[in-house]
C-alpha cells in the first residue's frame, strides 16, 4: 500500500515530486482497476496536479456520493447516469484547497445503502470489499491511491476498511462537512477517511482539515475498555480472537485492559438505528421515490417504503433513545481512554452479492463517537480482520493516537 | 392575505377547488409580481395541479436556495445562472407528495446571506422585506400565495416575517430536512415556513410533515416569560411597545407574565454565532471561493475570507459555548411555557440596500429552539411589528399554539 506519511516525507525531502507520485497512481489504476473495479470515474488525464499545499502529491479517491464539478456524480444509481454537478462538495473543495489531487470517483453502493457495486476485494476477488464505501477501501488496499474519502451512515467506513485491511476513520459527528453529499439520513451521515495505516489516516485528516489530528506517538492509552456487547455472539471466532490478540498486546505493552459490559441504553440504541435511518431516508429520497421508484433496487425501495410507514412519534421516541445513548456513551469514557471492539462480524464474506453487516458499527454512528479501524490481523486464509478503536465524542486525536499505538504493537 | 385554513376548509366543503385556488394565485402573481419581485422563477403554466392530498389547493412558494427539478435554482447568485438540478430537495418532494402545488421559486439573498434581492415590502415598496427569505415573506404578505418555504441561519425566517406582517415559523433544529438546500452553515441552517397567521402556518406545517402541529385552541399558555436580553437597547421604542402590548394582552387573558433576565450563557452564545457561521460557511462555500470569488458580493467574500481565518480551536470553543447555551435555554422553560421577545429591532428599514438585522434571532437559531413570528401589530406609519414566541426545544406544537392564542388576543 501507499503510505501518506512516507509520500509526504519523500516529497518534502526532494526525493519524490507531487507530479511523479500522482503519475504513479494513475499508472497503478490503469493497470489494476480493470480487475478491481474500484473507480466509477477518473479525472481527465490532462488535469493539472497541484504542487503546493499540505497535501500536494496525495492522489485522493472520492466516494461517488459526493458532488464533483469535473467528473460525473452518479451516487451508484442509474437514475443519475451522466449527472454533472455544478460544484464540488465542501470536503472535495477542501481537499483541492490543501493541494490534494482528486484523481477519481470511487464506487459507492446505490445511494450508499446495501445494493453492492461490482468492486472486488483486493485480497481475494471472490470476496466483497464491503460497503458502502466499497471503491474507497479497495482502491487504498490495492495500492492504487494513498488516501480516499467515504461516508458512514451504518457501517460504511469501518466495515470496508476492516474487510480490505486498511485504516478507516469515522470522525466525531459533524467534524467534517457532509454538504454536497447525497443525503440519506441527516442525523447519521458522517464523512470519513481511508488510508493505509492509522498513522496515515490521521496525517491525512490533519492535513485535510487543518486540525491537530496527527498521531501523538507519546500518547499511549493507559486504560482500554474491552467492549462486551449484546451482539458479540454474532462475531466469528476469528474476529473475537483478533480482538483478544489486540487486547493482549495492549496489556503486554502496559495498558490496563478493563472489560466493559454494554449498558442497556446502548444496546437499545443499536436496535432503533434502523428507525431513524429509514424514516429520514424516506424523506431524503422523496424525489427518487416519487419519480424513479422503478429504477431503485428492491432492497432500497422496500426499505424506503418501510421508512415511509414509520410514524413521527416512533421516530421521536427513537431520537430520545439516541440522545440518552449519547450521554451513556460519554459516561463510558470517565474511567477509560478508548474502547476496543470488533470492526465487523468477521472477515469479508466470500459473496459479491452482499457488502456484509453493519451490526458492529451502527451504534457508534448513531452516538457520533470517533472510530478507527486498525488493520494488520488476518484469518487463516489471509483475509483481513480489523479491530475498532472507539473514542469519546470530540476526542478524535486521542482516538487516532490510540489506534496508531495499537497498530505499532500489532507489527504493522 | 390568503388563509391556508380557509382554503382547505372551502375545498373540503366543495365551495372551492384545488385548480381554482391555484389559478387565482397564478393570476395574483401575474398582476403583482412585476412590482413586488418576490419570484425568481415560476412553474410552467401547464404544470398539473394535484387535486388529492392534505395540501391539495395550496400553492407553495419555495425559496430559491432549495433544489427543484422543474425550475431553475440559482441560490440568488449569478454563479448558478440557469442551473437545473436533477432532483427536488426533500422538503420540496414532501410538499408535492402531500398534494401542494409548487408554484414558483421565491427570491433569496445571495446564498441566503446579506446581499439583498430586488424584492420590495408589500406594505411600502421603499422598505426592505427583510432577508434572506425575502421573496417567501413578501409573496405571502402580498396575498399572491398562501404558504411558502424558507430557511434561517441567522434571522432569515422570523425577521422577514416580522417586516412583512406574516407568520414565520422556525421549527426545532432538524425537525424539517435541509437536504437539497445550498448549505451555508450546517449546525445553523434551519428550514422554516411562512403563512398568513400562526394558525395557518401551524396547519401548513402539520399537513406538510404529517406531524401533530396544528394549533390546539384549548392550550392557552399559563406562564409566559418576557425575555429581557442584553441587546434590548438595540430595539426601537415602537418594537418594545409592541412586545409590552402583547404581554399585557396575555396577562389580561389570564396568563402569568414573568420577566426573565437573559442568562449569561445565552448572551455569550449570541456573540459567538458569527464564529460558527463564518467558519462553516468558508468550508461550505469552498468551491465558490476557489473558482468564482469574483462573482461573490464583497460582503459575502469578506465574510468567507474572515471565516477561513478562524482557527479550528476557536470554532471548537464556540461550539462548546453553544452546547452550554442549549442546556441553559432548556432550563429557562422549567418555570414557563414560552418566551416573548422582539422579532427584530423594529419595523422594516426604509432602505432596499439592507435586509435589516438578525440580532434578535441568531441566538435562537444557534440553540435550535422553535420560534414563531406573530403578526398583527404595526408602527404609526402602518409598517408591521412582529413579536416572537419562543418555545422549548422539541415543543413545537405548544409554541405554535401559544402563538395562535396570542394572535387571537391581538385581534388578528
Amino acid at each position: 500500500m501507499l503510505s501518506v506519511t512516507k509520500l509526504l516525507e519523500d516529497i518534502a525531502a526532494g526525493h519524490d515530486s507531487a507530479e511523479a507520485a500522482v503519475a504513479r497512481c494513475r499508472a497503478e489504476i490503469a493497470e489494476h482497476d480493470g480487475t478491481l473495479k474500484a473507480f466509477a470515474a477518473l479525472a481527465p488525464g490532462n488535469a493539472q496536479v497541484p504542487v503546493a499545499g499540505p497535501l500536494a502529491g496525495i492522489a485522493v479517491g472520492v466516494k461517488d456520493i459526493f458532488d464533483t464539478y469535473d467528473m460525473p456524480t452518479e451516487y451508484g444509481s442509474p437514475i443519475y447516469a451522466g449527472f454533472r454537478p455544478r460544484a464540488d462538495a465542501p470536503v472535495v473543495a477542501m481537499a483541492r484547497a490543501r493541494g490534494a489531487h482528486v484523481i477519481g470517483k470511487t464506487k459507492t453502493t446505490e445511494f450508499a445503502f446495501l445494493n453492492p457495486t461490482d468492486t472486488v476485494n483486493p485480497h481475494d476477488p471472490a470476496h466483497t470489499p464491503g460497503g458502502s464505501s466499497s471503491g474507497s477501501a479497495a482502491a487504498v488496499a490495492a495500492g492504487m491511491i494513498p488516501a480516499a474519502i467515504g461516508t458512514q451512515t451504518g457501517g460504511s467506513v469501518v466495515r470496508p476498511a476492516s474487510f480490505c485491511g486498511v485504516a478507516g476513520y469515522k470522525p466525531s459527528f459533524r467534524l467534517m462537512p457532509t454538504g454536497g453529499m447525497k443525503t440519506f439520513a441527516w442525523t447519521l451521515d458522517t464523512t470519513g477517511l481511508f488510508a493505509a495505516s492509522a498513522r496515515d489516516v490521521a496525517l491525512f485528516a490533519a492535513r485535510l482539515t487543518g486540525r491537530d489530528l496527527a498521531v501523538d506517538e507519546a500518547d499511549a492509552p493507559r486504560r482500554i475498555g474491552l467492549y462486551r456487547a449484546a451482539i458479540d455472539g454474532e462475531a466469528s471466532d476469528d474476529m473475537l480472537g483478533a480482538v483478544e490478540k489486540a487486547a493482549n498486546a495492549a496489556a503486554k505493552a502496559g495498558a490496563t485492559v478493563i472489560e466493559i459490559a454494554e449498558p442497556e441504553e446502548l444496546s437499545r440504541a443499536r436496535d432503533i438505528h434502523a428507525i431513524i435511518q429509514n424514516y429520514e431516508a424516506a424523506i431524503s429520497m422523496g424525489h427518487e421515490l416519487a419519480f424513479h421508484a422503478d429504477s431503485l433496487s428492491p432492497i432500497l425501495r422496500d426499505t424506503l417504503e418501510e421508512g415511509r410507514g414509520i410514524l413521527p412519534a416512533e421516530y421521536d421516541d427513537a431520537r430520545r433513545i439516541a440522545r440518552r445513548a449519547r450521554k451513556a456513551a460519554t459516561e463510558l469514557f470517565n474511567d477509560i481512554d478508548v474502547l476496543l471492539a470488533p470492526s465487523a462480524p468477521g472477515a469479508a464474506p466470500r459473496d459479491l452479492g452482499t457488502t456484509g453487516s453493519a451490526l458492529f458499527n451502527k451504534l457508534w454512528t448513531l452516538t457520533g463517537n470517533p472510530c478507527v479501524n486498525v488493520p494488520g490481523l488476518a484469518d487463516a486464509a489471509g483475509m483481513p480482520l480489523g479491530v475498532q478503536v472507539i473514542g469519546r465524542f470530540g476526542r478524535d486525536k486521542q482516538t487516532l493516537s490510540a489506534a496508531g499505538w495499537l497498530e505499532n504493537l500489532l507489527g504493522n
Side-chain angles (χ1 to χ4, degrees), chain A:
Chain A
M1 288 191 282
L2 300 171
S3 160
V4 170
T5 312
K6 182 161 190 322
L7 281 166
L8 291 174
E9 279 173 3
D10 286 353
I11 292 167
H15 305 140
D16 196 358
S17 75
E19 296 96 327
V22 167
R24 290 196 306 272
C25 290
R26 269 208 211 94
E28 287 295 314
I29 293 168
E31 189 177 338
H32 299 292
D33 203 51
T35 318
L36 295 173
K37 305 189 181 80
F39 285 90
L42 292 175
N46 60 354
Q48 235 189 323
V49 173
V51 295
L55 285 173
I58 302 301
V60 173
V62 173
K63 185 178 182 179
D64 198 27
I65 202 77
F66 287 104
D67 290 350
T68 43
Y69 87 96
D70 59 345
M71 284 178 265
T73 299
E74 302 188 341
Y75 310 140
S77 165
I79 299 169
Y80 287 86
F83 174 49
R84 300 292 300 246
R86 276 281 186 102
D88 280 334
V91 71
V92 177
M94 199 185 248
R96 292 196 213 266
R98 303 298 205 261
H101 176 66
V102 179
I103 199 165
K105 303 295 286 286
T106 52
K107 282 194 184 153
T108 175
T109 61
E110 180 196 27
F111 297 112
F113 193 56
L114 294 174
N115 196 40
T117 66
D118 57 357
T119 314
V120 300
N121 193 307
H123 292 267
D124 182 336
H127 293 245
T128 177
S132 62
S133 309
S134 316
S136 290
V140 171
M144 295 192 285
I145 50 174
I149 299 174
T151 60
Q152 175 157 320
T153 300
S156 291
V157 168
V158 172
R159 166 163 111 266
S162 176
F163 288 177
C164 290
V166 302
Y169 163 45
K170 180 193 81 67
S172 291
F173 189 63
R174 294 291 185 202
L175 185 116
M176 289 181 53
T178 53
M181 169 196 170
K182 176 72 178 156
T183 306
F184 195 76
W186 58 84
T187 61
L188 298 169
D189 293 343
T190 309
T191 300
L193 305 176
F194 296 87
S197 69
R199 196 169 163 229
D200 287 321
V201 86
L203 184 62
F204 178 43
R207 297 276 176 107
L208 180 64
T209 63
R211 286 177 171 275
D212 176 23
L213 291 172
V215 164
D216 178 353
E217 303 282 352
D219 183 20
R222 285 177 306 145
R223 286 162 309 175
I224 293 178
L226 194 52
Y227 193 66
R228 300 303 194 187
I231 51 165
D232 283 355
E234 304 295 319
S236 69
D237 289 344
D238 275 346
M239 178 54 85
L240 294 175
V243 174
E244 297 304 318
K245 199 167 167 180
N248 289 341
K252 209 173 143 192
T256 304
V257 178
I258 306 154
E259 302 239 347
I260 303 279
E262 177 163 79
E264 199 256 335
E265 291 94 331
L266 294 184
S267 57
R268 270 188 84 191
R270 185 184 295 111
D271 293 339
I272 55 80
H273 172 279
I275 295 176
I276 292 178
Q277 174 187 273
N278 298 351
Y279 177 89
E280 294 183 359
I283 291 172
S284 301
M285 300 283 297
H287 179 79
E288 291 79 8
L289 261 177
F291 291 92
H292 306 284
D294 290 348
S295 302
L296 298 171
S297 69
I299 191 170
L300 177 55
R301 194 169 55 233
D302 291 351
T303 300
L304 297 178
E305 291 293 354
E306 186 203 309
R308 200 137 70 157
I310 296 169
L311 299 172
E314 292 174 74
Y315 169 71
D316 291 347
D317 282 345
R319 290 206 64 194
R320 271 187 283 274
I321 291 168
R323 267 202 295 280
R324 283 199 289 272
R326 281 181 202 114
K327 274 190 196 163
T330 295
E331 280 164 20
L332 277 182
F333 294 93
N334 287 344
D335 301 319
I336 54 158
D337 299 318
V338 290
L339 288 169
L340 205 59
S343 284
R350 189 182 166 83
D351 181 354
L352 295 175
T354 175
T355 60
S357 162
L359 189 64
F360 286 83
N361 314 113
K362 60 189 184 178
L363 167 63
W364 308 112
T365 316
L366 185 72
T367 57
N369 291 69
C371 297
V372 182
N373 178 65
V374 177
L377 297 168
D379 68 9
M383 291 303 291
L385 290 167
V387 296
Q388 191 175 193
V389 172
I390 302 149
R392 185 170 176 155
F393 183 85
R395 300 230 176 128
D396 291 64
K397 186 184 175 78
Q398 186 184 33
T399 311
L400 288 160
S401 293
W405 175 84
L406 184 62
E407 78 181 351
N408 282 342
L409 297 182
L410 297 178
N412 298 15

